[in-house]
Amino acid sequence: MTSSRRSSCRSNPNNKIPAIIDPNGPGGEPLPLFESGAILIYLADKARSLIPQDAVGRYQTIQWLMFQMGGRGADVRASGVLQ
Ligand SMILES: N[C@@H](CCC(=O)N[C@@H](CS)C(=O)NCC(=O)O)C(=O)O
């Protein structure tokens, strides 16, 4: 295993990108995260931006993120339905 692959595995056991390490995560501790959706939700929550703070808006935003990540969003976008 190469050193860059070992380094990648530390932040993502699935060895894919994106993966991040927030050196100043919850409680001031480093937080490694993988999966683009989890990273986006984490960063939006941390910035208190890009995702509504109210429960309805928050879950509506997350549902479209999951829709996109599940592959259907890309399929629908490619077909031109949402244009
Ligand atoms: N479900 C993952 C997918 C991650 C993924 O497939 N990443 C690709 C690049 S977009 C990758 O790392 N490919 C290299 C590989 O599979 O070795 C996410 O949304 O983060």
Side-chain angles (χ1 to χ4, degrees):
M1 184 181 278
T2 66
S3 64
S4 66
R5 197 161 173 91
R6 266 194 304 276
S7 167
S8 169
C9 286
R10 274 199 292 274
S11 44
N12 184 355
N14 198 27
N15 204 30
K16 291 187 181 288
I17 55 171
I20 66 167
I21 300 175
D22 181 356
N24 190 23
E29 295 295 316
L31 176 66
L33 275 179
F34 63 94
E35 279 299 318
S36 53
I39 292 169
L40 287 171
I41 293 169
Y42 174 73
L43 293 175
D45 280 346
K46 183 166 183 174
R48 295 186 65 82
S49 177
L50 304 175
I51 189 167
Q53 299 300 306
D54 68 284
V56 172
R58 181 178 168 78
Y59 289 116
Q60 285 176 338
T61 302
I62 291 173
Q63 85 183 345
W64 285 106
L65 174 61
M66 299 297 165
F67 177 74
Q68 159 60 24
M69 291 186 58
R72 286 296 296 148
D75 294 345
V76 170
R77 197 172 51 250
S79 74
V81 168
L82 295 180
Q83 291 175 349

